[in-house]
Amino acid sequence: MKYKLLYILGLLLLTVSCKEEANQKRLAEQAKDAKKKKVIFENIQKGWDFYDEPINEATEESVKTWTELRAFMQELRQKPKRTISAYQHKSKAISKKVMALKNNVPELFNKPQVQSRISVLITKVRLLDMFIHLDNIPDKKVVQLVGEINKELATLQRQMDILTEKSKIPVEEGEDEMRRMLLDSARAIPNSVMPNQSVIPASTRAIINPNDARVE
């Protein structure tokens, strides 16, 4: 009976010891995971610095009606705080705003070179949103994408500035009128006329009689 009690007591002590060891291991893993998440958060927080250089005054005037661009830039300026979850919510909001950039583009900027820059920007922002929502967040990749988005924003704004400056170049005197004359002349020539075929005005044909005597 005595040995049986000692055996049972030993099993209880072993069970308690195993549970204590498992708890300590679990706590150590949780502490390690928390430390890792803290490092990831701090890296993202430090690298989350979006391009906020204002475009020139002339371009600013031209984009007053482009509310989608203004809303996107405003979303970028609002930096999240405290938790990685806040950055995930911000990334989702930025991704939603960037998808609307192709809507209501001002006529001045509705050009292939601007549309292509917008498409690249959309791709970069959506990648950022995808990576930051992974279970194991690649913080270095997230920070890298922030830098790439900044580069695309700078390129887009520079392209817009170029188009704005070109629009201010005055047309040389008579150039616009000459273009219209050339266009009207091209439209007036029938497609059936061969290059070497002469075109006789109707008023001239009306007074020519084929039976008239020809002067040799």
Side-chain angles (χ1 to χ4, degrees):
M1 187 68 179
K2 181 180 178 181
Y3 291 108
K4 187 175 181 180
L5 290 174
L6 289 174
Y7 178 74
I8 294 172
L9 181 61
L11 286 177
L12 290 174
L13 290 173
L14 182 62
T15 302
V16 171
S17 177
C18 288
K19 286 184 177 179
E20 183 65 25
E21 184 179 351
N23 287 335
Q24 290 179 354
K25 185 177 180 180
R26 185 176 68 255
L27 290 173
E29 289 176 351
Q30 288 176 350
K32 183 179 179 180
D33 186 57
K35 184 178 180 180
K36 181 181 178 180
K37 287 181 178 179
K38 182 181 178 182
V39 171
I40 290 174
F41 170 75
E42 290 175 347
N43 288 341
I44 292 176
Q45 184 183 44
K46 184 178 179 180
W48 196 278
D49 188 16
F50 282 105
Y51 179 84
D52 193 26
E53 183 178 336
I55 52 185
N56 68 41
E57 292 182 4
T59 304
E60 182 71 23
E61 185 68 24
S62 300
V63 298
K64 278 187 176 180
T65 58
W66 195 2
T67 55
E68 289 78 7
L69 176 62
R70 302 174 75 86
F72 174 68
M73 297 302 293
Q74 181 64 28
E75 196 71 57
L76 289 181
R77 294 187 186 101
Q78 299 170 355
K79 188 173 182 177
K81 299 177 181 179
R82 296 186 180 89
T83 64
I84 194 67
S85 179
Y87 282 87
Q88 290 173 332
H89 284 302
K90 174 58 66 174
S91 177
K92 186 175 182 180
I94 292 173
S95 182
K96 185 178 180 180
K97 290 289 195 301
V98 79
M99 291 297 293
L101 283 184
K102 289 194 172 184
N103 300 330
N104 303 318
V105 181
E107 184 178 355
L108 175 61
F109 305 126
N110 196 12
K111 304 291 189 294
Q113 55 268 43
V114 171
Q115 291 288 355
S116 64
R117 296 267 62 85
I118 293 175
S119 296
V120 175
L121 183 61
I122 289 174
T123 300
K124 299 292 183 181
V125 172
R126 297 189 69 181
L127 281 174
L128 173 68
D129 187 42
M130 181 188 73
F131 280 116
I132 204 170
H133 278 92
L134 295 176
D135 292 334
N136 188 15
I137 302 174
D139 51 309
K140 292 182 179 179
K141 183 62 179 178
V142 169
V143 173
Q144 178 186 336
L145 281 166
V146 170
E148 291 177 5
I149 290 170
N150 285 337
K151 182 179 178 181
E152 294 305 325
L153 277 171
T155 304
L156 172 62
Q157 293 190 359
R158 188 158 53 246
Q159 187 63 63
M160 290 164 60
D161 287 343
I162 291 172
L163 291 172
T164 301
E165 292 302 317
K166 284 185 176 180
S167 70
K168 295 191 296 185
I169 299 175
V171 178
E172 294 186 7
E173 186 177 355
E175 182 179 345
D176 197 34
E177 184 179 352
M178 182 176 294
R179 287 178 180 174
R180 286 198 301 269
M181 289 175 62
L182 289 172
L183 182 61
D184 292 342
S185 298
R187 290 173 176 171
I189 299 175
N191 294 331
S192 59
V193 176
M194 298 298 293
N196 295 326
Q197 182 179 348
S198 60
V199 179
I200 302 176
S203 58
T204 304
R205 291 199 302 269
I207 61 174
I208 296 177
N209 188 338
N211 296 322
D212 291 346
R214 296 184 179 181
V215 176
E216 297 295 335

